[in-house]
Each structure stands twice: as structure tokens, then as C-alpha cells.
């Protein structure tokens, strides 16, 4: 079997922006947040986005749908009337 590829060099301590302790603390905080969100209200990101977009979509439909439908119905009536 071919030899395993060499591991990429790890950054030395001086090259890291965060200390290992800070990195571990931040990772733990995000893990805690993720587990809290998932266990308390098992909603997905899609659910949250849908809830945020719903009022915007409703407003857009209220503003634009009547005019759009009226225009399309009028065009269809004219098309049918000319076809006779």
C-alpha cells in the first residue's frame, strides 16, 4: 500500500490568533448554544427563516397580487374575446 500523505503543518503557538483556552471556551459556548436551541425548540433554520419571511411575503402579496391578477385576467378576457 502507498504511504499515507504527510499531515499539513500545524500553526505554531505564535501564529495562532487565539490561545487554546480561549478557543476551547468559545467552542464550548457555541456548543452549549446549539444544544440549547435544538433541545428547547427543535426548530430548524428553515423554520426560523420561514417565520421571518412570512410577514414580508404577506405584505408583498397584499401590495402586488390584486393588480397582477387583474392585469392577467383582463389580458385573458381580451385574448378570448378576439378569438371568437
Amino acid at each position: 500500500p502507498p504511504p499515507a500523505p504527510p499531515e499539513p503543518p500545524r500553526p505554531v503557538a505564535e501564529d495562532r490568533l487565539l490561545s487554546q483556552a480561549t478557543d476551547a471556551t468559545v467552542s464550548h459556548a457555541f456548543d452549549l448554544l446549539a444544544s440549547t436551541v435544538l433541545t428547547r425548540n427543535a426548530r430548524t433554520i428553515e423554520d426560523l427563516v420561514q417565520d421571518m419571511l412570512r410577514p414580508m411575503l404577506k405584505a408583498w402579496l397584499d401590495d402586488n397580487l390584486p393588480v397582477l391578477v387583474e392585469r392577467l385576467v383582463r389580458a385573458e378576457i381580451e385574448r378570448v374575446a378576439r378569438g371568437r
Side-chain angles (χ1 to χ4, degrees):
E7 288 188 26
R10 295 182 184 217
V12 291
E14 297 87 36
D15 290 344
R16 294 178 53 115
L17 290 175
L18 298 176
S19 68
Q20 288 181 347
T22 301
D23 187 29
T25 302
V26 169
S27 294
H28 176 70
F30 278 115
D31 290 342
L32 182 62
L33 175 63
S35 68
T36 300
V37 168
L38 292 176
T39 57
R40 284 200 180 158
N41 78 19
R43 297 179 68 195
T44 63
I45 295 294
E46 290 83 6
D47 293 335
L48 298 173
V49 170
Q50 183 179 18
D51 288 348
M52 290 172 26
L53 288 177
R54 189 173 191 82
M56 289 186 269
L57 179 59
K58 182 181 182 323
W60 187 91
L61 289 171
D62 288 345
D63 292 342
N64 296 292
L65 191 60
V67 174
L68 181 64
V69 169
E70 184 179 342
R71 182 173 42 110
L72 292 171
V73 167
R74 190 173 294 147
E76 185 65 15
I77 290 171
E78 288 177 13
R79 186 188 71 79
V80 169
R82 279 182 284 179
R84 287 186 179 179

